[in-house]
Amino acid sequence: MLDGTGLRQSWYASLDDADTYFRQLLASHASPDWKRTPLSVDSSGKGKARASPIPEVTDVLLHRKAVKGGDTVYRAILDVPITDAPTSLECWKAVLSAPELRKEWDPAVESAHIIEMLDQATRVSKINFTLGWPANPRDAVIVSRSFNDSTTLVDISTSLPRSPDAPVFIRPSPPYVRSEVALFAWCVQLINDPLSPSKYGPRIRITCFWQHNLKALWTFNSTSSLAQQLCAMMIGLYKTVKERGARVPQLIGFGNGVSVERVRFEVDREALTLDYSIVPEDDDDTPHTMEQGLNELYAVRQHRRLARSVECALPASVGWDVQITTKASSEQVSQLPWTAHATRSAPTSDSTTGEYEKVIFAVKHATLPNDHVVLKVRVTVELSGPSSGIRINGIPQSIEQVEERDPLTHTVPAQVLQDMSSAADMSLNGQSSMGSIAESASRSSTIADRPQLRRAASARTAAGDKSILSRVKRNYIYFSSLMQEPEAKWKRNVEARGVTIAQLDSIDPTLVVYRAEATFVGLGLWDLYSAIATPGARAYWDKLYDDSVLIEDLNELTELWHHKTKPAWPVTERDSVVLKTVYKSPTTIHIFAFSADDPNLFPHVPPADPNVIRTQIDLQGWAIEALSPTTTQLTLLEQSDPKGWSNKASIPQQMILAVAGVGEFAIRCGGPPIVTRLEGARAMQSRYDHERGNFRFEYEPCTSRRTSGVQSSEDSPTTITPPPSAGLPVIECELRCDLDNWASSLDIVVDPPPQSISCLRRHRLSSGGGGLWLTITHDAVGGEEERLQIIVRRGPMSAPKEKGLVMVNGAKVDVDVEELPDREVKNLQKRKRVKPARVPLDQPPVIGVIRRRRAEWDADAGTQTPDEPSRLPTPDGIVTSVPTFVASFNKFFSFAVEQATVTTQQAVAAISPAMVNGMDAIPSASKPPMQYALEALSYLQSVHARPKSEGWALVSEKDFPVYRKTDPEISPVIPVHKGEKVIEGVSAEELASVLANYDCRKNWDTRFDSVHVFEVFGADLHTEFVVMKGAFPFRDRGFYLASLTARETASSSSSRRIASDLEHSQDQRAAIYCVSASFSPESVSSFSPSKYNSYSLPVGRVYVDGWILETLDPYGAENYAIPSTKCTRVVAVDYAGSVPAAVNSMINGMLPKSIIAVESYVKSISSPPLMRLPSVGLALSPVVEDPLRQTAWTLRRRDSNRTLIAARYDPANRAYKSSMIINSSTALSPRRSSHFNDATPKARRMTLTVRAKSPPDEQRQSRSEELSDLPPSTSQTKSVSPDPGRSRSRDGARTSTFTSRGEVRHPKDLLVSELVIDSKLYPDGYEIHLASRIDRSKTRVSLSSPVGDAPPEQKLPFSYSAFTLPPSPLHSAGLNTDRPPRHLLRLTLPTAQYQVSTIQDPLTGEVRSAPPKPQWFSEMEEGRVILEVQIKPAPAGRSSKKTTVTADGNAVTVLAEKESLSSLGRDDLVDSRALKMDLLAGSSGDGDAIPEELQEAVAVADHLLEDASLALQGVSQRDTPDTTKSSSAVPEDSADAGDNMTVAEKFRVRRTHQAPQVAVSIPETPAADSSTNGLLRFLNAYPNPLLRFTTQSRRSSVHSPAAPSCEHVPGSIAGDGQRKDGAGAPDARGERVGLLSRRAGGRGSYPLSTVVIVALIAFLVGSFLRSLLSPADFIYVVPDRREFEEASAGWRELRRLFEVKYVLGGWDFQIAAVRRH
């Protein structure tokens, strides 16, 4: 047994051996044993000029050298000019000493971190690689040392030697396989010798030596893949040093009395966290010294100088924020004083260090009071900004200048420097000439790039191995392609026991492929894998299973099995021989098998038994995918032929039994033991007996399975010996077992006894794989003929109290336990399900990383100026690009100016307002307002779908976590803040009703001030101006917002359920979105800012302000009250103006905290009344793609009879008020008379329409009116669709007059509205008041007075009925089951009696028809109803104990729950009317960005319009007669061109032609006036010129750009009556009323005679005007007198067009046209 000192000495010895080995490789730099390894380059890059000085992958020179008794060692060299590379070695040292940065520059690394600091230059790190997949992943624990002088930096790493006494944190951690790093060394040299100038100039040479045994077989470590990885690693390191080198702090020293426990560098924060302890000083504690290392005297001095101190090097070019905290067992010790000082060396004339300056920051602690206490210290050094300086705990720290002391001469080994100086001038022309490159490339393409296939002496030939590999690859390609098939290609057949069976939809009838899917909760990835892959476990879930025999273990991933099944009458016994392969990744495991019975390839395959049918399996694949730490999806693909007389129809049932049985076995029994990895041996037998609970595994050593690096056949090993860190060859067997369910303790027998055994137990939710992992190691030397055996049994029942016990050969083995904090366990349990991307697993991720990084580098190079060629030389004289010599002064100057600008901007960013540049600075007026709300809705859907940890940084943890993220989809400057909290005892609907009400918002939102609604688009979708209070000294802010409420729809499977309670609960759990976003103020230019923004407040912008409300599943794992709602608020607001960016971010960070205020307010009040019909908000169709990619939206009106305008609740007075539009002309039309009130629509079917007899003229007229009411799409498709109902969903109209029983369906009364009222809100009862009017103009409704003072004769006979709702499933399952009941208030109109068809009695001949229609019914058929509902509490003091309900002074009886169920039916009572909500669907295809329904407002706030527009309003809109139906339509020419218009163009056209229509009074004129019915009637289309002489207000309305121009609508679009009287029609008071709107652009049709007469008049008028002009002048212009005689060649004809005489001084002003002759 080694103590800690001896263990560390062994680590130091291993590092010393690596140092010696490194020097040997340096000394052999000119040896011919170094072979050039070419890199395959894409042909697309050939012939292209270098556009950037940044080095490329092809600039790296890669050589390999075979080493005797070891793996091949690789050497990579890259030369970069000093002008393009960071010249300070401190930058390179900082990056190499931070393992966390290795993920950025090494594509093969998944993660890395420091485990322990041995001294100031030596560290122990752990690295996780991605090279292992699809087998087990690889990791390594290395010890590294760095030393340097002014021109050379050396960093050497090697693996720690294996030792049974190694601490827990560096032992193997399955499923990671511990790889061996023989040498990983970096050497960075500054080559600039003035005595021996080089033709390449000053440069930096980067050299890397790489010798790594990944313990991978033939799969991935080929020469070509390693060459790509190493070259990409070299370029990645150069780029990382260039970008981050001057921004990385580093720990450079600590002394006696300091124990460093943890060192972490957080890449995203650029912060170094250092945890250390101040311990009693040890006089015998001396630093480790070596022959090549630190000078002993200097090391001792440094160790003593830094007693109880730590020292860090910080780049001086940026600022640093240092936080120092101390903690101890007693307050006296924790408050021990400490001192901190920062020093900077004075600048020197040495040019080799470049521009890098560093600050030495040191912290020194006081002496401990005694030897029994320990002081814990945490130092966090975080980058704070571009300005230099240091702040310690928020206080600026002064930096003093000191003389530079150069300790580098004491720290660098002299022998290594000598070797490096000789290697700096080395010539690599020996094996790197052009001829040898071509030769080595040809050899490498045929030999080196091919994996080495090692086989035993008696195994198959190389051609046989290649054939097997090709078969495996071909079948896996087929399997992965089937997994990636879209869902539309699969037809669902059956669903049973939670398993869904689907069949591939193929045009080939012989191709029968089935897929079985199931999702299991509470099972992990490895539990299901062990249940499937363990052969004996199949006997539990497959009742026909007989036996499974392992025939041959081909390699680490592939095995040959023989399966047998029992006979079950009338089915005969069957067997199959399959080749099974397993591919793994961190979140997915693929197990696929196919028949393999070729005796030439598999000589050990048993011959077919004549009494047994051999099944042909083309493909049998399992896919295990982790959706979350607690949920796993299992998929089975089957394509097989059972042979015999059994057909393939029985396969689906067998798949259901298999998938369901696997899940049941894993849940009940847990995961049985399974071998996950076998190294250096071949499996011989694998047996599992579930009844006895034991697992037996036999294997034998195999020399061909001992992993080593790739060595080409032409390489001859040299005499250089690698370091002995790898040790002797061993045999390792790795097992995994479930100690939670399968067994509480294990009894293991290993024969022969193992050399070592390690046990690691992880939490079942751990990302590394839960369960117990055992690694059993045997020595491979001397035991090649011996068979090894492992037996795993359940622990004896005699010791049931001791759980987690592992006994090996009767001895107890220590189990290392990897615990998870409780907080992390809760987060893992709550993590949402995310389906991993289905990608092939037969290639390691490193290949994809290399390709992505090379693409990024090419893109970065493409952004450089193409005329700046590369200046990269190659050290061996090979020119890889055209050499050019361009001065870099311009580049340097531009870079300096850019850095100065960025520095200045960042310095004032904290006190400056957040500014957004570009097109997104302000909202665009070309977009309609609701389009911004839809874009914000898409973003909320993406936030809800993605995991919350994806790119979100934690801001605050007080009360509940608040996260922040800068998302370019929203704003590149303003970050998005998100907070999430569960509110117990409240459902999502109750929260949504409170959040959508502005009067309630004043009670819970302290920043909310007021709101003015502009326009309403129906379903409570509106635009408004919101004023938010500002904190001193800032003013209040105004926001132009577009708001909407949307609800997710249930899945198709849940919507098909019959039970309405299940549907109701499913609707309750769907997420509800309340979204607001800013739009352009120009979109509401017709409204007066002086009315809604009277104080001229600054206007901010809300990028997104949304609430996500989701009622939690009452049967979930969380212990929440029922109901409970997960409430998430997402905010990104720019307050603009003078608000600094820091204050803006602070306010946004506090807004998500308003969830607490909402929770306290909701729990203090009763639920306000809820409008159930007409529906509030929109329904969202299921999202099948990324919500952020939705660019086109469509809206389908599913309830065309009712439209909600607005709903408002006053919590102070408990008064509720809502207004709505009843489209009675549509609801009472003959085509909908039989189905307008169908509450429970059934499936679609062919229809039969029965109509009453009517004259032909009336039929034609009603038909034309019916088609005119339809939208254009409906009227166009009416004639080609025999069944209109087929194009509708299940909530669409039913046109059948008969029921399913053949009975006549009687018409029902018109259902107007439904409200849900909580009786707890009104304990003394409530009163209902209705106000209505019939509107025949169908113009936009006024929000200020939608109903107005309706005449008494227009009062409609509404019927009231009140029902008691049964308790909601969410509330009934909670604790508060005795809450007061809720009432359902239904408003109807008695229309059924007037819609009875005319029937003739065949017996008596009596004709029965409907009673005559009253006036209100006739008016409703021609127009629509504007209804206003008010609910107020009844006066207090009534003696009745029951809740009294009165409607317009009449008492309404509230039916009890039983009576309500029998009277109305349960379906209508609990139906949430979600199917009546308008359906909003988004897509990424071509189409309109916003539906037209969301661009045309149904109501407008006329009291906020401009005064100029209001001055033209003579009477209210409710008195407007029935005018043309097309008065507000888009012009025909615009509509015809609408298909070719963008949304912005359509929106501008609509804004131009559709202004709020205003009815004005005009003088009464005769009906047959000449101006309206004569020849000059076309002049009516032009504005009246006399308006110029009206009042000033009228003139301002004409000339104001904000006021719409009011012109008459052409009479050709209106009806006949409108044509006869274009000036208007008389209203109720006898006045003639005309309708003014923006000009619609329609042109009338005139007779030909009129056109001829008009043309004649125009000709005569023109002739008269022409006669007033002077005759044309003909002037001959002579340019020169000598040409006077040649007068025939200079004629010009001058025709005077306009003349003004005697303008000035005898001059005349003329405009003329000149013609040359």
Side-chain angles (χ1 to χ4, degrees), residues 1531-1580:
E1532 293 181 1
D1533 51 352
S1534 301
D1536 296 339
D1539 297 337
N1540 299 326
M1541 287 185 177
T1542 62
V1543 177
E1545 293 173 349
K1546 292 181 179 179
F1547 180 65
R1548 285 195 294 268
V1549 169
R1550 184 174 289 105
R1551 283 291 176 184
T1552 303
H1553 295 277
Q1554 291 186 356
Q1557 297 180 353
V1558 184
V1560 299
S1561 299
I1562 60 175
E1564 185 176 355
T1565 56
D1569 194 284
S1570 61
S1571 62
T1572 59
N1573 200 20
L1575 178 64
L1576 301 179
R1577 64 174 181 169
F1578 66 93
L1579 296 177
N1580 293 338

Side-chain angles (χ1 to χ4, degrees), residues 1641-1660:
R1643 294 180 173 84
S1645 59
Y1646 300 95
L1648 179 61
S1649 59
T1650 303
V1651 176
V1652 172
I1653 295 175
V1654 171
L1656 180 61
I1657 294 175
F1659 174 76
L1660 296 177

Side-chain angles (χ1 to χ4, degrees), residues 16 137 191 209 227 283 328 361 434 623 704 735 740 858 908 1074 1079 1101 1107 1213 1215 1249-1250 1331 1372 1453 1496 1515 1660:
D16 295 342
I191 303 177
F209 291 91
D283 297 336
F361 175 75
M434 293 297 294
S704 61
L735 294 94
D740 295 325
D858 294 341
V908 299
C1074 301
F1079 63 91
R1101 180 175 182 181
W1107 297 78
N1213 301 322
T1249 304
V1250 178
S1372 61
T1453 303
E1496 301 176 0
V1515 294
L1660 296 177

